[in-house]
């Protein structure tokens, strides 16, 4: 099922009412129509025990719960395996070995400034939440299993016991091969960037900062040994405004991704996952440093 390139972008920038109208205008044998129709047919009633064939691996957070609540609305309550936050000392130590001390200090400066950007952008975030009807609360109908890490033996044991048909990953640390091998189910990652060009973190931000607005979007992809290098299942573009910044991009991207997350899950349940080839170059991106962030803001208006 290959959707026309124009439709991919249009579908994530229309208002809900216009999007429904555009979908109804499609021929019923259109691949996108068939995908969405099959998704609706596979949705069970939300009552009863949380389903275990769909498992969400996450560390939690606003955009994770946006995705989780949309899945619950479409498929019913699911099982959520939530890992504890990675100790910051381990994260910084690993990043220092990879990039060096000076870039890491610059990234720490960016993290500090980002806290103020977050506070100053509350009105814009609330607008996005209201207009897109996002639910940022932890879904209360799901079954939650807490683990120390997605790479901990406990997590692998849980996955073996649950025997899921699909594992959705949203906002975790990099998953090791031992965890990937613990179940035959495909691991599908929600990535806030267009792969393979914007692998790593802050993909949407880096697309705008490098003048590549058409690739401000999200990717649903299979997980393999690399960093966001698995086969691409779906991509979707979003449309940021001049009022958006690093504290609102994740909300726009999560909103745009919702139907494609559902489509990828349904494809996995129905055994029809399809990898789509892309001719984009492959780059891995990291947190911006405070000096790069300041320059991009002053020179390009990307904050």
């Amino acid at each position: 099922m290959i959707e026309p390139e124009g439709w991919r972008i249009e579908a994530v920038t229309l208002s809900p009412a216009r999007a429904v109208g555009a979908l109804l205008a499609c021929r019923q044998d259109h691949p996108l129509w068939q995908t969405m129709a099959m998704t609706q047919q596979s949705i069970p009633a939300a009552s009863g025990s949380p389903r275990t064939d769909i498992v969400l691996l996450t560390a939690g957070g606003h955009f994770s719960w946006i995705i989780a609540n949309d899945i619950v609305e479409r498929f019913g309550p699911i099982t959520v395996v939530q890992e504890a936050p990675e100790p910051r000392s381990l994260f910084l130590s690993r990043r220092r070995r990879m990039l060096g001390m000076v870039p890491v200090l610059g990234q720490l400066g960016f993290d500090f400034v980002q806290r103020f950007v977050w506070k100053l952008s509350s009105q814009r975030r609330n607008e996005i939440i209201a207009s897109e009807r996002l639910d940022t609360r932890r879904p209360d109908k799901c079954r939650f299993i807490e683990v120390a890490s997605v790479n901990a033996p406990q997590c692998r044991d849980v996955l073996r016991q649950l025997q899921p048909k699909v594992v959705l990953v949203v906002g975790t640390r990099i998953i090791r091969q031992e965890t990937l091998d613990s179940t035959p189910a495909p691991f599908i990652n929600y990535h806030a960037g267009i792969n393979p060009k914007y692998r790593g973190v802050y993909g949407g931000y880096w697309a705008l900062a490098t003048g590549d607005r058409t690739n401000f979007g999200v990717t649903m992809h299979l997980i393999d040994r690399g960093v966001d290098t698995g086969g691409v299942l779906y991509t979707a573009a979003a449309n940021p405004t001049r009022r958006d910044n690093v504290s609102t991009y994740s909300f726009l991207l999560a909103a745009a991704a919702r139907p494609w997350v559902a489509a990828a899950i349904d494809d996995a349940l129905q055994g029809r996952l399809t990898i789509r080839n892309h001719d984009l170059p492959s780059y891995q991106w990291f947190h911006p440093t405070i000096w790069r962030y300041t320059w991009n803001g002053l020179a390009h208006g990307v904050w």
Side-chain angles (χ1 to χ4, degrees):
M1 298 183 298
I2 305 298
E3 68 276 23
E5 201 63 17
W7 174 267
R8 175 180 67 84
I9 297 175
E10 185 76 6
V12 296
T13 57
L14 288 174
S15 66
R18 290 180 61 196
V20 172
L23 185 58
L24 291 176
C26 291
R27 293 169 26 220
Q28 291 192 3
D29 60 348
H30 191 284
L32 179 59
W33 178 282
Q34 295 173 355
T35 296
M36 301 309 289
M38 290 179 181
T39 299
Q40 293 298 323
Q41 293 171 2
S42 69
I43 298 173
S47 59
S49 301
R51 50 193 300 172
T52 59
D53 56 344
I54 302 174
V55 170
L56 170 64
L57 283 184
T58 183
H62 293 92
F63 70 92
S64 298
W65 302 145
I66 289 172
I67 298 298
N69 281 301
D70 188 72
I71 295 172
V72 171
E73 183 176 347
R74 296 172 186 264
F75 294 92
I78 61 173
T79 300
V80 179
V81 179
Q82 184 173 356
E83 70 168 356
E86 182 179 28
R88 191 160 181 79
S89 59
L90 293 180
F91 172 80
L92 292 176
S93 177
R94 183 176 67 251
R95 188 59 55 84
R96 180 179 58 81
R97 292 194 301 270
M98 183 182 301
L99 301 177
M101 179 60 73
V102 173
V104 170
L105 291 175
Q107 292 172 347
L108 287 174
F110 164 74
D111 288 343
F112 179 78
V113 171
Q114 189 180 8
R115 299 175 189 176
F116 293 96
V117 177
W118 175 271
K119 293 180 180 179
L120 294 173
S121 304
S122 59
Q123 180 178 354
R124 175 57 180 155
R125 284 197 305 276
N126 290 335
E127 290 176 2
I128 298 171
I129 290 171
S131 64
E132 297 289 346
R133 298 182 180 181
L134 306 179
D135 189 347
T136 62
R137 299 169 297 178
R138 189 176 190 253
D140 56 3
K141 295 181 180 180
C142 295
R143 175 190 179 190
F144 279 82
I145 302 174
E146 296 183 353
V147 297
S149 163
V150 293
N151 296 313
Q154 178 193 5
C155 182
R156 297 194 286 271
D157 291 341
V158 167
L159 291 175
R160 292 188 188 100
Q161 294 169 9
L162 293 174
Q163 298 182 340
K165 292 184 178 179
V166 57
V167 179
L168 177 67
V169 179
V170 181
T172 70
R173 67 195 76 185
I174 295 175
I175 301 178
R176 295 175 184 167
Q177 191 64 40
E178 293 86 350
T179 299
L180 298 177
D181 291 339
S182 65
T183 172
F187 285 70
I188 299 176
N189 188 45
Y190 161 83
H191 174 65
I194 297 293
N195 284 354
K197 193 173 183 179
Y198 296 100
R199 299 184 295 109
V201 295
Y202 288 95
Y205 166 81
W206 285 117
L208 297 178
T210 55
D212 191 13
R213 186 182 179 88
T214 58
N215 280 315
F216 179 87
V218 296
T219 302
M220 302 302 301
H221 68 90
L222 297 173
I223 295 181
D224 60 12
R225 293 175 180 269
V227 178
D228 301 324
T229 55
V232 173
L233 304 174
Y234 291 102
T235 59
N239 188 28
T241 69
R242 296 289 294 181
R243 298 177 59 207
D244 290 303
N245 55 55
V246 290
S247 75
T248 64
Y249 294 152
S250 61
F251 289 79
L252 291 172
L253 294 171
R258 289 173 296 174
W260 307 103
V261 173
I265 290 175
D266 192 67
D267 287 348
L269 294 176
Q270 302 297 329
R272 59 167 188 264
L273 288 173
T274 302
I275 295 177
R276 288 152 169 74
N277 295 321
H278 293 269
D279 57 359
L280 294 172
S282 179
Y283 301 108
Q284 182 178 351
W285 300 83
F286 300 92
H287 293 71
T289 59
I290 183 58
W291 43 86
R292 182 69 182 272
Y293 177 70
T294 303
W295 168 255
N296 288 333
L298 295 175
H300 307 297
V302 179
W303 294 99

